Amino acid sequence: LLDPRRIIDIRRHLEAANQSGIPTRRPNGMNRYGLILDDGTAGSVPLRGLQTLVDCMVNDYVRPLGRLLFPEYIGRNDKHQQHGGNGNGVSDNDSQSFAFTIRYREGEDVRLREHSDASLITLNVNLNLPCGVEDGETEGNENNDDCRGYTGSTLYFVQDTDNDDDTEHPPPPPRHYNVTFAPGLAVLHRGLTRHGARPIEQGERTNLIVWLFGPDGYVRVAPYDEPQRLKPR
């Protein structure tokens, strides 16, 4: 999703924020290190350039792709009329977003326990630079997916196995699917899909996370009927 030049720009903004002395708070209940990027959240870091980038990503990629890939969970809710509405007394349940960064390295957070997000759709982008590319350069091993600046810290997703028809045997263990992040790679998934990150072994990993949900934090669990589903555009 992001090339090295864009990643360098983002990292410069984040480094400036980290060095500014602005009081911040942890980005979420599970990660202690990172920055909240939303202007309206207490403890956030108001970085206009990054907020503009996040807004573009949400409008051009996250929301349309979420509606395309998970249409049964994205629709309109007449119970949430105060925020994000379309003027007709209803609101889209992917109308709100929350963006933050997270960081893993030795001596700080080194892993992420298995969990589900408080979101309808989650975008997770690796903000590491390819090996050989420094924050002030754009030359390096950009096409080497194995060159990430860290080892370990594999992201994994969990899929429960279905044996509802078999009442005589215990269910088989859930399946785990590993994702190895290349620099700039983005993963889009339902927030309720369980996932985690294995321990980082060496180096540092920084990611940009964007959550989509409805007004007041609403997250749809039950599928919508076909007429209620929203189109990508």
Side-chain angles (χ1 to χ4, degrees):
L1 181 65
L2 299 176
D3 62 27
R5 290 178 177 84
R6 178 63 69 183
I7 295 174
I8 288 172
D9 289 341
I10 295 173
R11 290 173 65 93
R12 284 174 175 167
H13 281 289
L14 297 178
E15 182 61 25
N18 284 323
Q19 299 297 326
S20 67
I22 298 174
T24 61
R25 59 178 249 196
R26 60 191 300 164
N28 59 62
M30 300 188 71
N31 294 94
R32 297 175 297 165
Y33 298 92
L35 298 172
I36 298 174
L37 303 180
D38 287 283
D39 290 346
T41 302
S44 67
V45 177
L47 300 172
R48 293 293 183 184
L50 283 186
Q51 187 60 58
T52 299
L53 173 64
V54 168
D55 290 343
C56 291
M57 293 171 64
V58 167
N59 293 328
D60 295 342
Y61 296 102
V62 186
R63 187 174 290 119
L65 286 174
R67 294 181 180 185
L68 180 67
L69 297 175
F70 311 106
E72 64 270 34
Y73 298 105
I74 302 178
R76 287 190 173 148
N77 301 296
D78 55 11
K79 295 181 180 179
H80 300 277
Q81 302 178 11
Q82 295 182 356
H83 305 288
N86 63 5
N88 298 319
V90 297
S91 61
D92 302 343
N93 75 335
D94 61 354
S95 61
Q96 308 297 303
S97 65
F98 177 65
F100 55 94
T101 64
I102 55 176
R103 185 177 71 223
Y104 299 98
R105 69 183 179 192
E106 186 178 357
E108 297 182 352
D109 291 332
V110 296
R111 61 172 296 183
L112 184 62
R113 296 187 181 277
E114 186 178 307
H115 67 288
S116 298
D117 293 336
S119 67
L120 182 68
I121 303 294
T122 294
L123 178 75
N124 188 340
V125 188
N126 186 339
L127 295 182
N128 278 45
L129 287 167
C131 293
V133 177
E134 302 296 335
D135 281 354
E137 304 174 358
T138 57
E139 299 294 333
N141 300 322
E142 300 179 14
N143 298 318
N144 186 356
D145 289 346
D146 294 328
C147 196
R148 300 170 287 140
Y150 65 93
T151 58
S153 198
T154 301
L155 178 69
Y156 67 89
F157 291 88
V158 181
Q159 181 185 38
D160 290 324
T161 52
D162 184 6
N163 70 334
D164 292 341
D165 296 331
D166 185 354
T167 59
E168 298 181 359
H169 301 89
R175 296 189 179 96
H176 288 68
Y177 297 90
N178 294 332
V179 177
T180 301
F181 263 140
L185 178 72
V187 176
L188 187 78
H189 63 89
R190 279 191 69 203
L192 292 180
T193 301
R194 298 203 314 278
H195 57 286
R198 307 193 191 281
I200 195 166
E201 299 167 358
Q202 188 177 21
E204 177 181 313
R205 174 161 75 88
T206 301
N207 285 60
L208 169 65
I209 311 294
V210 180
W211 288 350
L212 290 192
F213 43 81
D216 304 318
Y218 177 74
V219 175
R220 179 77 177 192
V221 176
Y224 282 102
D225 293 332
E226 181 69 32
Q228 296 176 292
R229 300 175 184 178
L230 295 176
K231 303 300 182 183
R233 290 292 187 183

